[in-house]
Amino acid sequence: MFNLWLVAVVVVAVFVAFFINGLAGFGAGLILVPVVVLLFGVRQGVVMGLFLSLLVGGYLSLLTWKDVDWSVLRPILGGASLFCWIGALFLSVGEGRWLQIGLGGMTMSYGLYLWWVPDEGAWWLVRHYPRKMSLLLGGLSGFLQGVYGTGGPPIVMLLSQLVRDKRVLRATLLAYFFVLNGLRVLIVGWLAYVAKSDWGEGGLGMAGLVGVGMVGPAVLGGLVGVRFQERLSEVGFRRVVAGILVVSGLVLLVG
């Protein structure tokens, strides 16, 4: 009976996580990773979340590839990719609870801000220092994506001000996470098999196997999210993003 409940919890978490991902272009890791980490352990949970995010996120990204704003995304990916490597190495030796708490507070604050001014792109730091903030927030997002697969809040803070069209914003976020998750697969493989770290131990293969079984709920959730997104206005979409950020901040603070 316990196993049936466990499966039910994972299925619901996966569906909700990828519904949000299909709706907003991000958020799957922030919702899914805390659940699977609690059930399977840190590294097993991270691997399961990575497998699903790469597979389903890649599928959703292909559906929206033509809408990606590469002129905005390309300068961000270099620094984010570098710090993604650093984050994965950081996870292999320890955890950064202090960073998680700080990010949680910042994420909640920005989510509340975006809720009240969803149609203005008025975050003055990005408006006045776009290059510096791209380096800072892109690097922070890459680091957190490498550590926990939860790099959404910093990059959403940045891109929500640089990209004003909801369709382009969602497509650009999906492409960003598809690239970084592909990089994370290479990193985890290197840590497990080349560097001979303990990433190769502890049932990572089983976590991947469980991930295979969750592909159906993940794809269904993502496609339903895409359909709902098409019905939202620009202001409504940004308020949904703001709400996800507030919830994400709470998850980071108490996780």
Side-chain angles (χ1 to χ4, degrees):
M1 183 63 68
F2 173 78
N3 289 336
L4 290 176
W5 278 109
L6 179 63
V7 170
V9 168
V10 175
V11 167
V12 171
V14 167
F15 178 87
V16 172
F18 284 95
F19 170 79
I20 295 298
N21 200 69
L23 182 69
F26 79 106
L30 284 160
I31 295 169
L32 183 60
V33 169
V35 175
V36 295
V37 164
L38 180 64
L39 296 175
F40 299 103
V42 174
R43 290 174 185 168
Q44 291 85 349
V46 168
V47 167
M48 178 180 166
L50 171 58
F51 174 85
L52 288 172
S53 295
L54 180 65
L55 188 64
V56 182
Y59 174 66
L60 295 176
S61 185
L62 286 174
L63 294 178
T64 59
W65 198 257
K66 66 181 185 301
D67 296 321
V68 177
D69 188 340
W70 290 105
S71 65
V72 171
L73 191 55
R74 283 193 192 96
I76 299 169
L77 280 174
S81 298
L82 172 63
F83 279 92
C84 186
W85 275 93
I86 296 172
L89 293 172
F90 187 82
L91 178 60
S92 70
V93 298
E95 298 180 20
R97 177 60 179 155
W98 59 270
L99 182 62
Q100 184 175 328
I101 292 173
L103 178 65
M106 181 174 67
T107 299
M108 283 190 63
S109 299
Y110 182 69
L112 291 171
Y113 167 83
L114 191 62
W115 178 272
W116 289 110
V117 286
D119 56 345
E120 291 188 16
W123 193 28
W124 67 271
L125 282 172
V126 174
R127 186 177 62 190
H128 287 86
Y129 305 101
R131 181 173 175 79
K132 291 181 179 178
M133 293 306 296
S134 293
L135 292 172
L136 174 64
L137 293 176
L140 179 58
S141 173
F143 179 80
L144 290 166
Q145 193 68 15
V147 178
Y148 296 118
T150 55
I155 199 65
V156 173
M157 291 179 190
L158 177 64
L159 291 181
S160 64
Q161 300 305 314
L162 298 177
V163 179
R164 301 310 301 166
D165 181 87
K166 67 171 183 174
R167 185 180 296 273
V168 175
L169 174 59
R170 182 173 63 95
T172 304
L173 285 168
L174 286 169
Y176 171 84
F177 287 112
F178 177 62
V179 172
L180 283 197
N181 284 329
L183 179 60
R184 288 174 67 213
V185 169
L186 298 178
I187 297 169
V188 170
W190 179 79
L191 288 170
Y193 300 108
V194 178
K196 304 299 183 184
S197 77
D198 58 357
W199 272 93
E201 303 172 0
L204 296 188
M206 181 57 69
L209 186 61
V210 173
V212 171
M214 294 297 112
V215 169
V219 171
L220 180 60
L223 292 176
V224 173
V226 169
R227 293 296 299 272
F228 269 79
Q229 183 268 346
E230 294 172 352
R231 302 178 183 180
L232 289 174
S233 65
E234 295 287 343
V235 172
F237 174 76
R238 290 184 178 271
R239 285 198 168 137
V240 167
V241 171
I244 297 170
L245 287 173
V246 171
V247 173
S248 299
L250 283 171
V251 170
L252 291 167
L253 285 171
V254 304

